[in-house]
Amino acid sequence: MELYSGAKIRGFVHLYIGEEAVAVGVNQALREEDAVVSTYREHGHALARGVSADAVMAEMYGRATGCSRGRGGSMHLFDATHRFYGGNAIVAGGLPLAAGLALADRMRGSTRVTCCFFGDGAFAEGEFHETANLAALWRLPLLLVCENNLYAMGTSLAREHAQTNLAMRAASYGMPAWTVDGMDVLAVEAAALRAAESVRAGNGPHFLEAQTYRFRAHSMYDPDRYRAKSEIEEWKGRDPLKGLAELMRSEGQLDDRVMEELDKEVLAEIDQSVQRAEKAPLEPVSDLLRFVTSETGGAA
Amino acid sequence: MSTRKAPTGTSRPTTYREALREGLREALLQDERVFLMGEDVGRYGGCFGVSLGLLEEFGPDRIRDTPLSESGFVGAGIGAALGGMRPVVEIMTVNFSLLALDQILNNAATLLHMSGGQLSVPVVIRMTTGAGRQLGAQHSHSLEGWYAHIPGIRVLAPATVDDARHMLAAALADPDPVLLFEHGSLYNAEGSLDATVDAVDLDTAAVRRPGTDVSVITYGGSLPKAMAAAETLAGEGISAEVVDLRTLRPLDDATVMASVGRTHRAVIVDEAWRSGSLAAEISSRITEQAFYELDAPVQRVCSAEVPIPYARQLEEAALPQPATIVDAVRRAVS
Ligand SMILES: Cc1ncc(C[n+]2csc(CCOP(=O)(O)OP(=O)(O)O)c2C)c(N)n1
């Protein structure tokens, strides 16, 4: 946020603070060979998937070392080596893509899973429903993870959905659909593991609704006038990071010293990414027109 | 381009529809990553009959009927291409492709660049375009020029049976998204399939009829009309050269400018609306690149600025016709 205010990073930035348990829990359930399709709020997904903080930070800086070589920015992080397929700024635009990735696996008899993250707002788009129908019809190995943070920008769930029970609606397409506490990383992991294993076993698509909350505004341009302060504070009381730390403390798996070390490590990693991004070369303007069409003359 | 062997035998008559089917069949036989999907491509045989019989031969996994979900299945084609397959997606007509425009523009055309060169999208999307069959506005528009506006995709418009037969293979060999526009009024058109042709070059336009007095530049469903006009004009002593663009993006400027350099006059025939059309783009390029070659203003023959009407006489009046092309050429040479 400081970097943004300092104009080091521009464009729309959608913070994921408060929703971390979803990205971490789900990615724990996925394997290296699986694929992830995400949205514009994808920093958490990218990091949890294993994309390096350096590559993400450099992309936000628009540098040549960024994971999209400065052409994507905050909303379009990609990393083919981690099978991380974005980073999509069109609400629900990633859903059909994810179905296609799953279709490719299905047609070749692969047991890989494709996981698609999207929000409660995306659930209202036709592309969600087209994808759900297609995936269930063709029994695609697709894990649909709806991050229900109760708001699509400033529009609350009840003001955008005639029926707010999303899992029930997803189930109507003929796929298993569960709701999980998205503030509890262990609960998310357990549910995602169960779902992913079932997808892997050939039982077609599964839908997971993670009930979560974003602590920050929708984007850096959002004055956040549509939510009561008290509501935000209430959800902050369920901070997934604090919750996990408390649990681990109570079970004797974490003490203050380790916690301090961890904090330091994280801050150092971020600091280092910032420094590396600051020093990284800019993608040359003479390369502006690169990657509009393929240069290799043959795709994988 | 394609490395396929030349088919044996001599030139033989075939329809545009059969030529497309042969191209599809060959693609399916040659590469098991290739599959066809779209509304009614299987059981029904394709709404224009292009894929008739392919379901029986290749099975429902590779000739895949989809629900009415243009955005969903076009996006799934893009995803499958990302996943290593070579999907051929059929959209019934360009009119319905607008429901999938988000996927085509925001994903297919964009992913390679946005990912800094990491993700290429080797998908081929086929669809019908054009008017002339009294289907009313919502089945008759020519919107390929809109797609030709978009960087990151290739836009093809086969006008002959040879191109219908071979463009698909070349499209599948392209690592990037390719859109193939088949003009609805051409499906039944018969032509002689040239047995000596085994591959087509997507980078160059073709001179379909040499001439010395005027260049008639066109593509797709307007090609037969331009050829008919050229025949009429020949009877009046006017020698028209007919250039078939074949690829609408990227445009082959060199062939167009060379032709204008020979004839010094240009008439562009484009079934889309005139305003903001591909014809406008080509005219502008001629002005930019060959202005001093011109002996007359560039003429354009486009559709009337009206949703294409149903009634035969209205539809005919709305579209470019051999007679209107002849008139435009006469204006250019007078
Ligand atoms: C097709 C489309 N319509 C509108 C927008 C503008 N927009 C960006 S995010 C957003 C809200 C999406 O909410 P949700 O899917 O719940 O995701 P969240 O931001 O809560 O993670 C909107 C309306 C967009 N990017 N794409």
Side-chain angles (χ1 to χ4, degrees):
Chain A
M1 257 183 96
E2 286 159 34
L3 293 171
Y4 193 87
S5 311
K8 301 281 192 181
I9 293 171
R10 303 304 302 161
F12 281 131
V13 175
H14 307 83
L15 299 177
Y16 193 61
I17 300 169
E19 308 189 29
E20 297 91 341
V22 187
V24 172
V26 170
N27 272 286
Q28 285 295 110
L30 298 176
R31 300 181 185 168
E32 221 169 278
E33 75 259 22
D34 295 337
V36 171
V37 176
S38 181
T39 68
Y40 45 84
R41 198 183 298 288
E42 85 279 39
H43 310 87
H45 304 142
L47 294 172
R49 184 70 192 147
V51 183
S52 78
D54 279 358
V56 172
M57 189 63 76
E59 187 58 33
M60 314 258 278
Y61 267 78
R63 303 290 161 134
T65 51
C67 60
S68 306
R69 296 183 71 149
R71 284 160 178 82
S74 170
M75 299 193 287
H76 306 296
L77 306 175
F78 296 91
D79 187 344
T81 58
H82 286 91
R83 301 204 74 220
F84 187 74
Y85 293 96
N88 202 313
I90 308 297
V91 171
L95 280 148
L97 281 192
L101 283 159
L103 174 62
D105 284 336
R106 168 89 215 238
M107 289 183 77
R108 285 182 305 195
S110 158
T111 57
R112 299 193 296 196
V113 173
T114 297
C115 170
C116 185
F117 290 99
F118 55 97
D120 46 288
F123 198 114
E125 291 277 4
E127 280 183 316
F128 168 77
H129 298 276
E130 293 192 14
T131 301
N133 180 50
L134 209 61
L137 185 70
W138 291 349
R139 293 178 73 76
L140 300 180
L142 183 64
L143 175 57
L144 296 165
V145 179
C146 180
E147 299 183 309
N148 177 3
N149 60 16
L150 295 175
Y151 291 90
M153 285 184 63
T155 304
S156 64
L157 191 69
R159 289 177 57 235
E160 66 172 323
H161 289 283
Q163 169 54 265
T164 56
N165 186 335
L166 303 182
M168 182 186 88
R169 291 166 69 194
S172 78
Y173 286 103
M175 65 175 103
W178 305 317
T179 295
V180 64
D181 178 1
M183 305 310 268
D184 177 348
V185 67
L186 297 179
V188 174
E189 183 184 354
L193 202 56
R194 199 175 134 216
E197 286 313 315
S198 184
V199 171
R200 215 180 294 285
N203 296 321
H206 284 51
F207 178 91
L208 203 58
E209 176 201 355
Q211 295 183 333
T212 182
Y213 199 79
R214 58 172 158 75
F215 295 167
R216 301 300 174 109
H218 168 70
S219 77
M220 308 303 259
Y221 288 92
D222 169 14
D224 208 350
R225 284 192 284 251
Y226 45 84
R227 308 191 292 186
K229 285 258 161 7
S230 57
E231 179 184 293
I232 303 175
E233 288 313 312
E234 205 175 301
W235 277 91
K236 277 188 177 167
R238 301 182 51 208
D239 185 324
L241 299 181
K242 284 193 191 129
L244 179 66
E246 265 162 37
L247 178 73
M248 290 177 76
R249 270 208 187 87
S250 73
E251 291 184 350
Q253 298 178 29
L254 188 71
D255 58 32
D256 289 347
R257 198 184 47 81
V258 174
M259 194 65 204
E260 252 171 54
E261 298 269 296
L262 278 173
D263 272 344
K264 261 194 234 155
E265 255 176 56
V266 171
L267 285 176
E269 187 176 347
I270 297 171
D271 254 4
Q272 203 172 43
S273 294
V274 169
Q275 279 171 31
R276 286 188 178 138
E278 296 259 352
K279 287 193 209 110
L282 291 171
E283 189 71 352
V285 172
S286 56
D287 280 355
L288 170 68
L289 297 183
R290 288 188 67 189
F291 315 125
V292 175
T293 51
S294 293
E295 296 169 359
T296 54
Chain B
M1 286 290 110
S2 176
T3 54
R4 291 163 307 102
K5 283 209 301 286
T8 49
T10 52
S11 300
R12 59 191 160 84
T14 186
T15 62
Y16 186 80
R17 171 185 292 110
E18 286 159 1
L20 287 165
R21 186 185 306 138
E22 279 180 39
L24 261 172
R25 191 169 169 268
E26 182 190 53
L28 287 155
L29 284 171
Q30 294 219 330
D31 185 345
E32 59 183 27
R33 297 173 303 172
V34 172
F35 68 101
L36 174 70
M37 76 170 151
E39 293 155 0
D40 282 317
V41 298
R43 283 280 163 99
Y44 191 93
C47 66
F48 295 98
V50 171
S51 50
L52 200 66
L54 296 182
L55 174 68
E56 289 69 25
E57 188 173 358
F58 296 100
D61 207 36
R62 297 184 71 198
I63 307 296
R64 194 168 272 268
D65 280 319
T66 65
L68 291 167
S69 307
E70 282 79 4
S71 189
F73 71 74
V74 169
I78 296 164
L82 284 174
M85 301 297 282
R86 288 291 181 279
V88 178
V89 183
E90 177 177 309
I91 304 176
M92 284 185 174
T93 88
V94 67
N95 310 275
F96 319 145
S97 77
L98 302 186
L99 280 80
L101 187 55
D102 164 54
Q103 289 297 323
I104 297 171
L105 170 53
N106 285 319
N107 284 335
T110 312
L111 281 170
L112 180 70
H113 188 80
M114 280 199 316
S115 68
Q118 293 180 83
L119 305 179
S120 67
V121 185
V123 68
V124 175
I125 304 172
R126 299 172 39 236
M127 62 189 109
T128 307
T129 187
R133 291 162 301 144
Q134 282 196 267
L135 298 177
Q138 292 179 344
H139 283 68
S140 301
H141 289 146
S142 291
L143 305 177
E144 55 278 1
W146 286 5
Y147 287 100
H149 178 65
I150 303 171
I153 56 179
R154 186 184 279 276
V155 179
L156 306 178
T160 65
V161 291
D162 284 323
D163 279 357
R165 172 66 183 82
H166 298 294
M167 268 190 178
L168 181 66
L172 284 164
D174 192 311
D176 300 314
V178 178
L179 268 52
L180 226 144
F181 287 91
E182 301 161 9
H183 197 287
S185 68
L186 291 179
Y187 285 119
N188 289 328
E190 288 214 17
S192 177
L193 198 60
D194 186 341
T196 63
V197 172
D198 75 325
V200 295
D201 169 9
L202 299 183
D203 293 324
T204 52
V207 175
R208 299 293 184 196
R209 177 187 173 115
T212 51
D213 297 331
V214 59
S215 298
V216 178
I217 300 152
T218 190
Y219 68 91
S222 297
L223 178 65
K225 295 175 178 177
M227 294 296 270
E231 198 58 39
T232 305
L233 289 160
E236 299 176 12
I238 298 171
S239 165
E241 176 155 301
V242 179
V243 177
D244 173 7
L245 293 169
R246 305 171 73 235
T247 295
L248 309 184
R249 182 178 191 103
L251 280 169
D252 173 13
D253 289 359
T255 298
V256 171
M257 300 315 150
S259 178
V260 173
R262 283 189 292 274
T263 64
H264 309 290
R265 290 178 169 83
V267 174
I268 304 159
V269 185
D270 175 359
E271 199 180 304
W273 296 297
R274 176 186 304 254
S275 304
S277 60
L278 199 64
E281 174 65 24
I282 295 160
S283 169
S284 179
R285 289 188 189 206
I286 292 171
T287 312
E288 286 164 350
Q289 297 174 43
F291 181 73
Y292 295 109
E293 294 289 346
L294 288 174
D295 285 345
V298 174
Q299 300 286 325
R300 286 189 282 158
V301 183
C302 299
S303 282
E305 307 260 331
V306 60
I308 304 301
Y310 161 74
R312 175 173 296 282
Q313 78 286 2
L314 296 179
E315 183 183 49
E316 276 176 5
L319 304 178
Q321 300 295 352
T324 47
I325 299 168
V326 167
D327 286 346
V329 168
R330 286 198 193 116
R331 279 199 303 277
V333 298
S334 68

